[in-house]
Every structure is written in structure tokens, then in C-alpha cells.
Amino acid sequence: MTAATRPPVGPTPVGSDEPVAPAAAVAADAGSAETRRSARSGVAGLLGAATSGLFGFVLAVVITRGYGPAGAGAFFAAIGVVTVATAVCTLGAETGLMWALPRRTAGVRGDAARLLPVALIPPLLAGLLVAGVGVLVADALAPRLLGGSGASGDALLTVTFAAVPVVVAMTLLLAALRCVRPIRAYVGVQFLLLPVARPVLVGAAALAGGGLLAGMTGWLVPAALALLACLTLVAGPLGLGRGATLRPVRSDWSTFWRFALPRAASAAIDAGSMWVGVLLTSVLAGPADAGVFGAVGRYVLAGQLAMQGLRVAVSPQLSRLLGRGERAAAAAVHRQLTIWGLVLSWPVYLLLAVFALAFLQLFGPEFTAGVPAMTVLALAMLVNTGVGNVQSLLLMGGRSGLHLVATVAGLTVTVSLGLWLIPSHGATGAAVAWAAGIATENLTAAGFARSVVREPLFDAAMVRAAAVTVAGVGLAAGAGVLAGGRGLPGLLVALVVLLAGCVGMLTLPRVRAGIRGTMRQIRAGDNAATAAEPTPASTRGR
């Protein structure tokens, strides 16, 4: 696909021989430009997510090998506390920034900087409140939440709660960074600095015999480094320190929080979906089962990183398109990136489902009890990635209320089934509950997104991609099971067969043509998209 220059839009000037471009041609050209833009951003997001996934797996190995099932369960529970607390305290403001900043004007004379006090002050106050209360109740909470972790449980929770304001500020500034800088800046902080530093520092703590408290400190320190990096990178584009006004007007507060507050609850649910299961398992079945479930969850979340990378890459673009009413272009971007996410994520989850034993053996023999849980969750994630980033369509379209309905439905299913299944089935019960919640939330959100965008979100190309992916990975997995079982030997055989199949597909003219088209999209991305994009009207005072 080659870049095309957009024809002029609007009435023909007097005395000009330039014809007026047909509306359909303009729309088609704009849609092509937007898919080129999304291709370029999407590749950057995917590369960052791949790196993050690799080091996330390394971190999981460090935690499980360094602290054992009970220690890993306490460690994962502490991570769950800070993750859920941060998601609650941000009050949906990180998504609010992703929605609002692309509709504002940056720079010294712009109105984008006015959003920072609006977005930062309430969450930071909430973070300080939660941190203070959490530190006060840590002694009473630790035996219940981290039972079996030893005397360090009180100190572990104290440090965890004390770090909440820092992690809240980092989360919000990361969202601002994605909107005001090219995606490579966001990738450098979110997908490189954080995931690379954490296993290094946690591993150093474990090797030095520092215990859970030292390990958790190693996990938290990179958040402070990321906060400083974000402050430095955001200041320039927003004109901070160079005269940009930071005094919001009344409409800034009302517009922003009308969107963000419904997102507050759904953000907590989204961020804490796995960690709710870890915490429930820790309380209802003990730290050892929580450690197994946490290890399984690390694999599941690693497989989701491709969709996460695509989501953060194009969310500001979707906000801009939906804010201008260009629903067809937004749907085209969604369909393109859903195919990418499906082709990249489904092989991971299919292999996790078939070779769960092999993957969990890497954590140690104590974790192989999580094989049924891994299989159930991997199959559920096929639904999650198969519908694409429908949540982003809802949120960037300003429909945070509908997104809240979907997430509450998923959480209700997860918690209800968890309370019933975890006491008797441990990690497997937690996995079944979470899988049911995943399917409920994503299918509900997909239905809402279709009604909001009013454009097709699925097409025949997606069905073909899904069928080819399942067939190819299924054949490779079958060969691996027949040759070496479901342990490490079988997994290695499957990977070799799958790699050979991918190399063979590169000989097909249609596949090579598709790759060349994608590469042209990436190379032409920014210039073509800019040429095709109309000059935006001022959004000052929105």
C-alpha cells in the first residue's frame, strides 16, 4: 500500500480548476492514512511489549525460584496490594488523560497543561490517604493476607502501602507521556526501564539473602526511577516551566471527571483482575496455592502484552478519530490491530494450554500443580484477544459508563465463582472463576462497542486469520505431543515444527506481499497520516 496525498476538501476556491474531492474518496484516503499511522505505532508497541514480556517472565522465575511457593505467594500478594490500591487511587484519571490530552493543544500557549492539576491532585490525595491507612493497619492485615510469610509480613505490607502514592504518580505521568511524546518514549519507560530493572534488583536481593522485604523494595524502586523519567519527558511538550498555564478553569474539572469517575471503578477491576484472584486464593486456600496461581497468572499476563502494546500505541489515535466522529476510520484501525493481536497472541495461549506442564516446570516442580489452572486460563484468553481492544473503543469514545458495566459484570462472576470454588479447588478454582469473568467482560464490552461505533468490528479477514492460526499451531502442538509428550521435550518439538512452518509460509507469494504492504505502511506512516489529516479545530476550553 503506497502513501497517497489527500485531495483538497471543501468548496473549490473561486477561479480554481481543482475539482472537489468526492466524500467517499476522502473518507477512504483518511482511513488508509489512519491504518498506516496505527501500523507504525503498533509495531513500536509490539516490540516494547515483547521485551516487557520476556523480562516479566524472568522476574517470575526469579521470584518463584528465589522464594519458593509460599514466599512467592506472599510476594505476589504484595504486588497485588499495590496494583489494586494504585488502580483504585488513580480514580480513572490515567484513562482520562489518554482520552482528553489528544483533544487539547500542547505547548506554552496551549491548554493541555491545565489538565495536569485536574488529573493529578485528587488521585495523589487518595494515594496518600490509602498509604496512611494501610501503614496503620499493616500489622493487623498481614497475618490474614500474608499468613505463612514469616515475621517480614508486617514490614512487607508497610513498604507496599507506603509506595502507593509514588506508583500512582508514575501511572498518571506515563499516560501523559504517551499522549505528548512519540511512542518510543513511552516504550522506553513502560516496556524497558520498568521490566528490565525489576528482575535485576529483585534477583540481586534474593541472591544476597535479603528476604521478601528486600525483594519487594527492589520491585518498587524502578517505579520511582520511572516517575522521574516521566517528569523530565513530559515537561517540554506541555511547556512546563516555560510559561504554560497550570490553572484550570471550572469546565476542565467537570469535563474531565465526568469521563474519569465511571472509569475509576473499572480501572481498579481491570488492573486487579488477576490480583483479586491471588488475594482471594491467599485468604481462602493459603499462600502456597496463591503462589501457584500467581505463577500461572504471570504466563497469562505475558501472553496479553501484545494486545497491551497495541492498545497503548493507538489509544490517543482512537480518541482523536472518535472525537471527530470518524467512526469508520476508528473501526478500520481496530480491525487491523485485532488481526495483529490475534496472530501474535493465539499461538502463545494455544501452546500454554497444551504444554502447561512444560512451562510450569521452569518455575520448579512445586508449581506443576497449576497445570489445570494454566490450561483453563489460556483457553479463556483466546476470547479476550479474539475480540480485540473493544475496551479502548468504549473508553476513547467517551463511554466509560458502558465500560464500567462490562467490568462489573466480569468481576461479579469472578468473585462469586471464586468464593465458591477456591476453598475446595485452590488455584484451579481461582482459574475457572477468572476465566468465566474474562469471557463475561469481553463479550459484554464487544457488544457495547459495536453499538457505540456503529461500524463492523469483525470481518472475514479476522476469521481467516483465526482459522489459519489455530490450524497451524494445532498441527505443531500435535506433533510435539506425539513426539515428546506435554513436557519440555514435546514443547521443543512443537516450537521447531512451528518455526519451520513459519519459514515455509514466507515462500508463499501472498504472505510476502502482505509483509511488504505492512512494511510500506510502517515506513510511510507518519508522513502519510499527517498529509491526510485535516488541520484540527481548536479545542481550547473543552
Side-chain angles (χ1 to χ4, degrees):
M1 183 183 299
T2 57
T5 302
R6 180 181 179 176
V9 183
T12 305
V14 177
S16 171
D17 294 328
E18 191 72 43
V20 177
V26 171
D29 191 44
S32 297
E34 293 299 343
T35 54
R36 284 191 291 268
R37 181 190 293 269
S38 67
R40 191 179 183 108
S41 297
V43 168
L46 285 172
L47 292 175
T51 304
S52 180
L54 173 63
F55 283 94
F57 169 74
V58 172
L59 175 62
V61 172
V62 168
I63 293 173
T64 53
R65 290 283 186 177
Y67 298 101
F75 202 120
F76 287 135
I79 295 175
V81 168
V82 73
T83 302
V84 175
T86 298
V88 171
C89 292
T90 54
L91 304 176
E94 78 285 9
T95 307
L97 285 169
M98 294 281 282
W99 169 73
L101 278 178
R103 306 174 185 219
R104 296 270 180 148
T105 304
V108 175
R109 294 182 175 85
D111 58 351
R114 294 200 324 238
L115 284 178
L116 289 185
V118 176
L120 288 173
I121 291 174
L124 287 177
L125 291 176
L128 290 170
L129 177 63
V130 168
V133 173
V135 169
L136 291 176
V137 302
D139 291 350
L141 189 60
R144 182 68 174 167
L145 191 59
L146 306 178
S149 60
S152 63
D154 300 353
L156 181 63
L157 269 189
T158 299
V159 170
T160 297
F161 277 115
V164 167
V166 175
V167 183
V168 168
M170 178 204 72
T171 302
L172 296 176
L173 289 177
L174 271 171
L177 176 63
R178 174 60 194 98
C179 297
V180 302
R181 288 275 189 179
I183 190 175
R184 60 180 176 270
Y186 179 91
V187 167
V189 179
Q190 173 70 11
F191 290 149
L192 293 178
L193 172 60
L194 284 170
V196 172
R198 278 173 169 162
V200 171
L201 295 179
V202 173
L207 289 174
L212 288 173
L213 179 60
M216 190 63 190
T217 303
W219 188 87
L220 291 170
V221 165
L225 299 177
L227 172 59
L228 295 176
C230 288
L231 278 171
T232 303
L233 291 168
V234 165
L238 292 181
L240 302 181
R242 295 187 291 115
T245 179
L246 288 171
R247 181 176 296 176
V249 299
R250 180 177 297 180
S251 62
D252 293 331
W253 290 92
S254 58
T255 300
F256 184 87
W257 287 107
R258 269 200 307 268
F259 171 85
L261 281 179
R263 172 60 177 154
S266 60
I269 296 168
D270 283 344
S273 57
M274 168 192 163
W275 303 111
V276 167
V278 172
L279 296 175
L280 281 176
T281 306
S282 181
V283 171
L284 299 176
D289 274 284
V292 171
F293 183 70
V296 169
R298 298 307 298 180
Y299 275 120
V300 171
L301 294 180
Q304 199 177 9
L305 281 170
M307 296 300 292
Q308 180 187 352
L310 293 172
R311 180 176 66 250
V312 299
V314 301
S315 286
Q317 181 185 7
L318 289 175
S319 174
R320 176 172 49 79
L321 291 173
L322 293 172
R324 295 200 309 237
E326 298 179 21
R327 294 190 298 270
V333 169
H334 170 81
R335 290 192 298 268
Q336 178 192 47
L337 295 189
T338 299
I339 292 175
W340 286 22
L342 187 152
V343 170
L344 293 171
S345 299
W346 277 27
V348 174
Y349 287 122
L350 291 170
L351 290 175
L352 285 174
V354 176
F355 298 103
L357 176 64
F359 286 103
L360 290 172
Q361 283 175 336
L362 297 176
F363 290 152
E366 306 94 336
F367 291 88
T368 56
V371 168
M374 175 89 86
T375 302
V376 168
L377 283 173
L379 294 176
M381 293 305 290
L382 297 180
V383 178
N384 184 20
T385 51
V387 300
N389 282 316
V390 289
Q391 290 89 346
S392 293
L393 284 175
L394 286 175
L395 292 170
M396 295 303 102
R399 305 304 296 271
S400 54
L402 290 178
H403 183 265
L404 175 60
V405 172
T407 53
V408 167
L411 178 67
T412 301
V413 171
T414 298
V415 173
S416 300
L417 287 179
L419 293 173
W420 176 36
L421 295 174
I422 291 173
S424 55
H425 299 283
T428 302
V432 172
W434 189 21
I438 289 170
T440 300
E441 177 184 343
N442 282 276
L443 294 176
T444 303
F448 286 155
R450 177 65 177 85
S451 66
V452 168
V453 178
R454 290 178 290 182
E455 294 284 344
L457 302 182
F458 306 96
D459 58 14
M462 294 170 61
V463 175
R464 289 194 297 270
V468 170
T469 302
V470 171
V473 178
L475 289 173
V481 171
L482 290 175
R486 298 193 174 186
L488 286 172
L491 174 61
L492 293 175
V493 171
L495 291 174
V496 169
V497 173
L498 192 59
L499 178 62
C502 292
V503 172
M505 289 186 66
L506 293 177
T507 64
L508 300 177
R510 185 172 182 178
V511 173
R512 292 202 305 271
I515 294 173
R516 284 195 298 268
T518 300
M519 294 307 297
R520 282 196 294 270
Q521 284 184 327
I522 295 168
R523 286 194 296 267
D526 288 343
N527 292 336
T530 301
E533 183 178 340
T535 303
S538 173
T539 56
R540 184 180 300 277
R542 272 191 182 181

